[in-house]
Amino acid sequence: MATIEECRSALDKLSDNMQHAEGDVREAAALDRSVSCHITDLDVTFVGRMQGGRIVVRDTVQGPPPERAEIRLAMTGDDLVALVDGELNFAKAWGSGRVKLSAGVRDLLQLRKLL
């Protein structure tokens, strides 16, 4: 099972990847939205903002997200690490329910380029 530190590191790596993206991916990464990532097996949520082509984690809280973010992810820590490392396909994980993504329709259309 991935630790809180490994999950935080995976989010930092994802943020770095987003910042160096090009084309449609860069456009999708340029969204300015509140973000939460609930790690279900650790019952921890990373809360932050997607801005300037990065994910800026501002807080780590115990339990589910305290407020409803505009973009909400939920998955196990191992799945987060596997997604960022390229070992888990996002579309398959989302389709099977391993990864949950909630956002407005417009944001989902933009995020599909990113994910």
Side-chain angles (χ1 to χ4, degrees):
M1 177 165 47
T3 65
I4 292 173
E5 293 78 19
E6 290 169 324
C7 292
R8 175 60 194 258
S9 179
L11 286 172
D12 289 342
K13 182 178 177 180
L14 174 61
S15 181
D16 290 344
N17 292 345
M18 288 170 49
Q19 188 174 30
H20 297 102
E22 296 179 5
D24 287 345
V25 175
R26 184 171 192 81
E27 180 184 326
L31 290 172
D32 184 1
R33 302 286 187 272
S34 59
V35 177
S36 67
C37 181
H38 184 226
I39 307 302
T40 56
D41 56 334
L42 299 174
D43 198 26
V44 168
T45 301
F46 296 97
V47 180
R49 189 143 196 100
M50 189 173 171
Q51 63 186 36
R54 297 189 61 82
I55 297 172
V56 179
V57 176
R58 296 195 173 135
D59 201 6
T60 305
V61 297
Q62 199 63 38
E67 297 178 14
R68 184 177 168 158
E70 293 167 295
I71 298 172
R72 300 167 304 282
L73 289 161
M75 68 195 81
T76 68
D78 288 341
D79 284 345
L80 173 62
V81 171
L83 278 170
V84 174
D85 287 343
E87 299 168 4
L88 180 63
N89 178 280
F90 180 82
K92 289 181 183 178
W94 187 27
S96 70
R98 284 176 66 178
V99 173
K100 293 180 177 47
L101 170 65
S102 301
V105 174
R106 287 185 185 171
D107 288 344
L108 286 173
L109 291 172
Q110 282 292 98
L111 290 171
R112 71 181 166 78
K113 299 173 191 172
L114 180 63
L115 303 168

